[in-house]
Amino acid sequence: MKNLSPDSQFPRLFYALWPDAATRAALAAWQAPLGGKPVRADKLHLTLAFLGQRPAGELPALQTILAQLPARPMPLGFDHVSHFPRLALAWAALAQPSPALLALRAACMHSLAEQGLAPRFEHDRFTPHVTLARQAPPPAAYALAPIAWQASELVLVESLKSSGDYRIVGRRELS
């Protein structure tokens, strides 16, 4: 497990499924016809829980939760692009959220709540997705090759405000 960046007393953190190189390339290929500002390929991910800014002292507990989540590799099938109009985000959408993904999300939220670490501003509804572009108009209809992702890596990520980069501070292979 990595430590936080040296200047992170209150890092922005989130749990995510992290794509392998082939899935990342396939998702990046979907960005070409979209307007807006494409998300860098190395930043593509599926967020399970956005934790927001947290005291750095919570990191050991968050890493323990990561290590203890009951999870196995899971197939995820993306088949279309959708849009959050209020946020102007274009995103890769799942044909059907898998029960394994929904169970992992529920277990994550339950573990966070048990430890008194539940996100302060969590949305009521979980919409699993991979953000492809920001400041994007609604996507035009176009043919897409479906993406089959065998998700096998769960991570705890620090979002570096100064650079906009992501830094993995905890990693777990799903088995």
Side-chain angles (χ1 to χ4, degrees), residues 27-146:
L27 289 165
W30 278 21
Q31 294 173 312
L34 299 174
K37 183 177 178 185
V39 173
R40 285 190 346 230
D42 65 320
K43 292 179 70 173
L44 296 171
H45 66 277
L46 190 152
T47 300
L48 281 178
F50 179 73
L51 305 171
Q53 284 192 282
R54 306 306 290 247
E58 292 179 357
L59 184 62
L62 294 170
Q63 290 174 325
T64 298
I65 289 170
L66 174 71
Q68 295 176 348
L69 284 172
R72 293 199 162 97
M74 65 189 77
L76 301 174
F78 294 90
D79 68 346
H80 66 283
V81 174
S82 195
H83 189 255
F84 291 129
R86 189 174 62 81
L87 301 172
L89 296 178
W91 46 280
L94 296 166
Q96 178 77 30
S98 76
L101 174 61
L102 299 177
L104 176 58
R105 159 68 179 194
C108 182
M109 298 308 289
H110 179 76
S111 294
L112 287 165
E114 277 188 332
Q115 297 297 317
L117 300 170
R120 292 169 185 85
F121 303 106
E122 188 55 36
H123 301 289
D124 292 336
R125 199 176 101 206
F126 176 53
T127 304
H129 68 280
V130 175
T131 300
L132 298 174
R134 300 183 184 288
Q135 302 167 1
Y142 60 96
L144 296 167

Side-chain angles (χ1 to χ4, degrees), residues 8 32 130 137 150:
S8 295
V130 175
Q150 183 68 17

